[in-house]
Amino acid sequence: GSFRSAPLEDPHDAIFWALTEGNLASAAEIAIRNGALRLAILISRAGEAPALEYQRDLATFLEQLPADVGLQSDAAKENRSSGQVQEQQQRLKDIISLLRGDVERVSAVLEIPWVRVVACHFWYGKGRQAVTEERSSRGAFVSSQPVDEGLCEQLCVA
């Protein structure tokens, strides 16, 4: 089954799907509506150039995940099965993995359309890092500069 085959009633799934669309604002808004302020801040920072501090913050967030993690109300949490809890914990780990740029791991586990996988490489993964490094070597991060087509070919082959 495809990841998107079921309705996105779970906020974890909705956040993840918004991220695969490159829609940081929507993903952060869903996190805020569900009381996950730290996650919302991390999502909003994903639009910045990749930095060691951001990567450390994502790792710290993962390390500090409580056993009963979830974005629903307390009443909804009480009605969850242990399988649902594990699924939500895994989806939250998938969200952080995607933000960390580990697109290959996430796309290998979930059936994400290939176009989104390629786009996620540019938004969160190798493509973004390569473009950022090239721009940094010229002295500034310029968001309006077009992406090198050779880089796209390298990512599609990888």
Side-chain angles (χ1 to χ4, degrees):
S2 173
F3 172 73
R4 184 68 164 144
S5 63
L8 298 177
E9 295 174 7
D10 185 278
H12 302 83
D13 290 339
I15 290 169
F16 184 83
W17 194 253
L19 290 174
T20 67
E21 293 175 330
N23 193 341
L24 298 177
S26 178
E29 183 180 311
I30 295 165
I32 289 169
R33 275 198 319 259
N34 287 280
L37 301 181
R38 282 185 60 210
L39 179 60
I41 290 169
L42 288 172
I43 290 168
S44 67
R45 288 179 55 207
E48 303 170 2
L52 284 176
E53 180 183 344
Y54 181 64
Q55 293 297 322
R56 279 194 298 263
D57 291 346
L58 291 169
T60 300
F61 183 84
L62 268 181
E63 290 169 7
Q64 296 175 352
L65 281 179
D68 184 31
V69 71
L71 302 179
Q72 288 121 348
S73 66
D74 291 335
K77 284 182 184 180
E78 291 175 14
N79 294 325
R80 294 183 301 176
S81 69
S82 63
Q84 287 173 314
V85 171
Q86 289 177 341
E87 190 174 305
Q88 290 172 348
Q89 288 173 331
Q90 184 57 52
R91 184 67 69 239
L92 194 50
K93 289 177 184 177
D94 292 339
I95 290 167
I96 299 302
S97 292
L98 188 60
L99 292 173
R100 290 178 85 176
D102 195 357
V103 179
E104 291 88 5
R105 190 197 72 72
V106 175
S107 64
V109 174
L110 302 170
E111 294 181 29
I112 303 169
W114 71 269
V115 172
R116 285 184 188 231
V117 172
V118 171
C120 285
H121 278 287
F122 282 104
W123 294 324
Y124 312 110
K126 293 178 185 174
R128 177 181 175 174
Q129 293 165 355
V131 170
T132 302
E133 288 169 10
E134 169 147 346
R135 290 178 183 165
S136 295
S137 70
R138 289 187 271 176
F141 184 79
V142 182
S143 61
S144 61
Q145 186 173 355
V147 175
D148 178 35
E149 289 180 16
L151 176 62
C152 180
E153 289 176 27
Q154 291 172 358
L155 288 173
C156 292
V157 173

